[in-house]
Amino acid sequence: MFSLFLAAILAATYVYLRRKDARMLRNGIVLVAACWFTLTGVADILSQWFPWTALIALSIVALTPLAVIVLAGFLISNGVTMLRREGRSIGNLLSLLAGIALLGLPVLAVLLVATLNPVAIGFAALLFSLCSYFGVVFVVFLAYAVAYGRMKHTVEPDSVVILGSQIIDGTVPPLLRSRLDKGLAMYREALSPNGPARTAPLLIPSGGQGANESRPEGEAMAEYLLMAGAPAGHVVAEEKAASTAENLQFSAAVARERGKGGAMVVVTNNYHVLRAALLSRKLGLDAQVVGSPTARYYLPSAFLREFAAILREHKKLHLILCLPFVALSVFGTWLLVMSSQ
């Protein structure tokens, strides 16, 4: 019962924090903790009422290695699909590399322990600790990315900003088209009889020209919006941004220049929603982020890429949080060395 009581407190805390500001990753930590204590509390009650349920729990634990193998196989298969459909790049290799790591790291840890060398055993313990830490961080990221992506925007938008991505042969590919269609839907929703906007929001397609692009992304995106029926006077392209942060900053400046400096609705693909939201908060923008659909085969690598980007943006914090694991592994290795002498 204590677990369920703690879960209720965490759930209430999550609701409060999300209403205060949904654009914080700490909300995901509270959400995952609430779900965990709910599951453990329910499992504890079921085991008291129905003793045979304990066998189910043990079976699930016993099948964990098989689940890891299945997950690794899925990621490797997805990585091959990504390479075939999207071409060779570091981002497209992520699911393949993650699948190989899921298979290889446990084997490496077992081999290190089998040497009976104290230093090798200490390294195996450190490897296990760090993998567990980053595994938990990934679960928090993924859970809250999905939760945030399902939230309804509640602002009265002065502008609808559509984040750019690579164009191909000067035209909008399916991934970017999904964002533009969603942005246009947000614009029309704001203007509907039941919509929140009193005046038409400004549509701002945002993106500069990459090294392998024939023209700025914002220009191609604006062209698509106009062809899809958006009024010419309501579309202003931003054509200089080279990153998500610049997309947000430069688009906010464009909106202010045209007297639309109020709340923004930012549109991107669903896998990119949480990071865009975190960045908008960091930049001090009054913005909510909504996601457009993405092809299923693309999602595993895309989420892994977003996770890697968030780790990179908060690398100092994660390095500090990993220090206790390093210290414990060093201390454990020292104890093993001393006991073997």
Side-chain angles (χ1 to χ4, degrees):
M1 290 299 293
F2 177 74
S3 292
L4 290 178
F5 174 71
L6 191 55
I9 293 176
L10 287 167
T13 303
Y14 168 71
V15 172
Y16 168 76
L17 291 175
R18 197 180 82 173
R19 288 181 176 176
K20 184 178 180 182
D21 193 339
R23 302 171 300 170
M24 297 191 71
L25 198 54
R26 71 180 183 188
N27 300 350
I29 298 173
V30 179
L31 174 63
V32 170
C35 292
W36 171 257
F37 282 109
T38 299
L39 288 174
T40 56
V42 170
D44 184 53
I45 291 174
L46 289 176
S47 65
Q48 293 177 21
W49 289 354
F50 309 102
W52 50 268
T53 57
L55 294 175
I56 297 177
L58 288 174
S59 299
I60 293 173
V61 172
L63 289 173
T64 298
L66 178 61
V68 171
I69 293 173
V70 171
L71 177 59
F74 166 76
L75 289 172
I76 291 172
S77 175
N78 177 258
V80 173
T81 301
M82 283 293 294
L83 290 176
R84 188 173 66 249
R85 294 191 180 186
E86 302 294 332
R88 295 182 181 180
S89 70
I90 296 298
N92 294 340
L93 279 171
L94 285 177
S95 59
L96 177 63
L97 295 175
I100 293 172
L102 277 177
L103 291 177
L105 289 177
V107 174
L108 175 61
V110 170
L111 293 175
L112 288 171
V113 172
T115 64
L116 300 181
N117 181 289
V119 176
I121 294 173
F123 182 73
L126 177 61
L127 194 63
F128 175 80
S129 300
L130 293 179
C131 288
S132 299
Y133 169 77
F134 286 109
V136 170
V137 174
F138 180 73
V139 168
V140 169
F141 157 75
L142 184 60
Y144 197 57
V146 173
Y148 185 91
R150 292 180 178 275
M151 295 178 194
K152 300 290 185 181
H153 78 86
T154 58
V155 299
E156 179 180 308
D158 259 4
S159 59
V160 176
V161 176
I162 306 167
L163 304 186
S165 64
Q166 185 176 10
I167 59 174
I168 299 174
D169 296 328
T171 61
V172 173
L175 184 77
L176 186 51
R177 192 181 309 141
S178 173
R179 299 184 187 187
L180 291 163
D181 290 341
K182 183 70 173 182
L184 198 55
M186 292 292 99
Y187 167 82
R188 289 169 175 162
E189 179 184 309
L191 291 179
S192 68
N194 298 320
R198 290 187 293 270
T199 60
L202 189 66
L203 274 166
I204 307 176
S206 173
Q209 182 175 347
N212 56 348
E213 294 175 317
S214 59
R215 58 172 172 162
E217 294 164 7
E219 178 185 319
M221 294 162 70
E223 182 180 281
Y224 178 90
L225 290 171
L226 294 173
M227 291 179 65
H234 295 176
V235 179
V236 179
E238 184 287 306
E239 302 179 358
K240 296 181 180 179
S243 66
T244 300
E246 289 185 355
N247 284 138
L248 295 168
Q249 287 177 302
F250 297 170
S251 296
V254 169
R256 286 193 298 269
E257 288 170 2
R258 284 157 179 80
K260 296 286 187 177
M264 299 190 306
V265 167
V266 179
V267 181
T268 185
N269 284 89
N270 48 12
Y271 63 83
H272 188 228
V273 168
L274 182 56
R275 188 160 74 92
L278 297 175
L279 282 171
S280 71
R281 181 182 182 277
K282 184 178 180 180
L283 294 169
L285 301 176
D286 181 8
Q288 291 184 359
V289 187
V290 297
S292 65
T294 307
R296 290 184 179 180
Y297 78 89
Y298 196 85
L299 287 175
S301 286
F303 273 116
L304 287 169
R305 187 166 61 247
E306 292 300 300
F307 177 60
I310 286 179
L311 289 180
R312 187 168 60 249
E313 289 164 5
H314 299 85
K315 55 182 177 294
K316 290 183 180 179
L317 172 63
H318 291 293
L319 285 173
I320 292 171
L321 291 175
C322 287
L323 286 178
F325 300 118
V326 176
L328 285 172
S329 297
V330 171
F331 180 67
T333 301
W334 177 78
L335 289 178
L336 288 173
V337 171
M338 294 302 293
S339 64
S340 65
Q341 291 180 349

